[in-house]
Amino acid sequence: MVNEKIVGAKPTWSPYDLLPRGSKNALKRFWDWAGFSKGFGTACRYEMDMFLLRLRCAISIRYQMRVRQLRRQKGLKVNLGCGWVPIPGWINLDCYPPPKKESNHCEVLVLDMRRKLPFADASVAAIYSEHFMEHLPFDTVCNNLLPECFRILSPGGSIRMGVPDGELFIQRYQSGKVGAHSEKTADSKPGMMDINDIAHSGGHFYLYDYEVLEKIFKEAGFKEFQKCKSRQTRAHCFDRMDQDDKWRVENTVFIEGQK
């Protein structure tokens, strides 16, 4: 998951973020001199971070002990890609967790979520994710993430995932709108730039609509699908879970399914 968490303003545990500004500038000048693209550099940084994270998980006694505890538990609730908004009472997973002072005393398990998830088969009652899946390559979602979610979810368990709604952005492009605005202004970007931004900027790999979500969830084994808007759900465990900032409310499509 190459995302804005490693290239944005918020600091992470990445060794790059710990470098002094002068060292960062020197590395950027070398990168430009070598002719490498910014995107390639971001990808290299991320993969190196994930290698270090997998190594840390493999040798951390504390991490291994917590995983053994989790694998003995049932009825867990898991939040994938929590970012800086962990949920109390849930097991929050992310590769770049918030600082402890920002975590609201929530548990955040730090790992590379593109690999096997640290839970036993059929041990999770609910899985939630908001604006995480688009930060993974499409084949990783189809071949790794969703099959792992199906494996750990208990029979009758619920899953809810939200992503930027590609259908909305294309509709706005077709109608001559930009973003959430109904009229263009002097500094508005062309509609095609808006689509490319949501599809690829900020570490996004793929632009989904509900039809694609339903297809890949069905292929992973889930059933009883429902298309939802923000704050709309049939499962009580997801009540009031979605973030309420205006952009996400207007531009997110959710899918809910069951095992």
Side-chain angles (χ1 to χ4, degrees):
M1 176 184 59
V2 180
N3 61 38
E4 67 267 20
K5 294 173 187 175
I6 64 173
V7 297
K10 293 180 179 179
T12 72
W13 57 263
S14 171
Y16 179 83
D17 282 341
L18 302 179
L19 290 175
R21 179 176 298 180
S23 298
K24 291 181 180 179
N25 291 336
L27 282 175
K28 290 177 180 177
R29 288 193 297 270
F30 170 78
W31 204 255
D32 291 339
W33 173 83
F36 296 125
S37 69
K38 181 180 178 181
F40 180 63
T42 300
C44 289
R45 282 177 48 200
Y46 178 76
E47 291 300 338
M48 180 58 69
D49 283 352
M50 292 304 99
F51 170 76
L52 295 174
L53 180 54
R54 293 194 298 273
L55 181 61
R56 187 173 73 180
C57 290
I59 64 176
S60 170
I61 296 176
R62 182 177 180 180
Y63 175 83
Q64 294 296 333
M65 289 179 60
R66 183 56 180 144
V67 168
R68 285 194 290 270
Q69 291 174 349
L70 290 172
R71 286 176 177 165
R72 294 193 294 266
Q73 297 180 28
K74 300 287 186 180
L76 298 169
K77 295 184 292 184
V78 175
N79 178 19
L80 295 173
C82 67
W84 281 44
V85 192
I87 302 170
W90 290 61
I91 307 298
N92 299 279
L93 273 58
D94 207 290
C95 55
Y96 295 106
K100 289 185 178 180
K101 63 180 180 180
E102 302 287 346
S103 66
N104 296 321
H105 305 290
C106 298
E107 178 178 10
V108 180
L109 200 62
V110 186
L111 72 161
D112 182 356
M113 290 170 289
R114 302 172 302 173
R115 306 300 178 98
K116 188 177 178 67
L117 297 175
F119 307 101
D121 295 354
S123 64
V124 174
I127 299 174
Y128 176 83
S129 175
E130 183 177 359
H131 285 245
F132 163 64
M133 199 161 63
E134 69 272 18
H135 292 281
L136 298 175
F138 185 68
D139 60 339
T140 300
V141 171
C142 296
N143 299 329
N144 297 84
L145 181 68
L146 291 183
E148 272 295 282
C149 288
F150 188 81
R151 176 187 69 80
I152 66 175
L153 199 64
S154 58
S158 298
I159 184 170
R160 176 180 175 87
M161 290 190 171
V163 293
D165 189 351
E167 182 178 356
L168 290 178
F169 287 89
I170 293 173
Q171 286 175 350
R172 290 169 186 157
Y173 170 76
Q174 291 176 331
S175 63
K177 299 178 182 179
V178 177
H181 302 287
S182 58
E183 296 181 0
K184 292 184 178 181
T185 61
D187 58 350
S188 295
K189 293 184 295 186
M192 187 55 67
M193 291 182 68
D194 200 45
I195 292 177
N196 275 281
D197 281 347
I198 196 63
H200 300 295
S201 294
H204 290 187
F205 276 89
Y206 202 84
L207 185 60
Y208 294 86
D209 66 359
Y210 181 75
E211 185 178 9
V212 173
L213 291 175
E214 188 173 273
K215 180 180 187 298
I216 61 178
F217 271 65
K218 184 180 295 184
E219 290 174 348
F222 295 101
K223 60 180 182 179
E224 299 182 21
F225 305 107
Q226 178 189 9
K227 181 179 181 180
C228 304
K229 296 181 180 179
S230 182
R231 303 285 170 142
Q232 178 189 49
T233 179
R234 290 181 181 177
H236 292 303
C237 60
F238 300 130
D239 282 343
R240 298 162 66 180
M241 292 272 291
D242 307 332
Q243 295 186 43
D244 58 4
D245 66 88
K246 182 179 179 181
W247 190 93
R248 290 205 179 195
V249 170
E250 293 179 349
N251 296 286
T252 303
V253 59
F254 287 90
I255 183 172
E256 287 187 5
Q258 287 188 316
K259 181 174 179 179

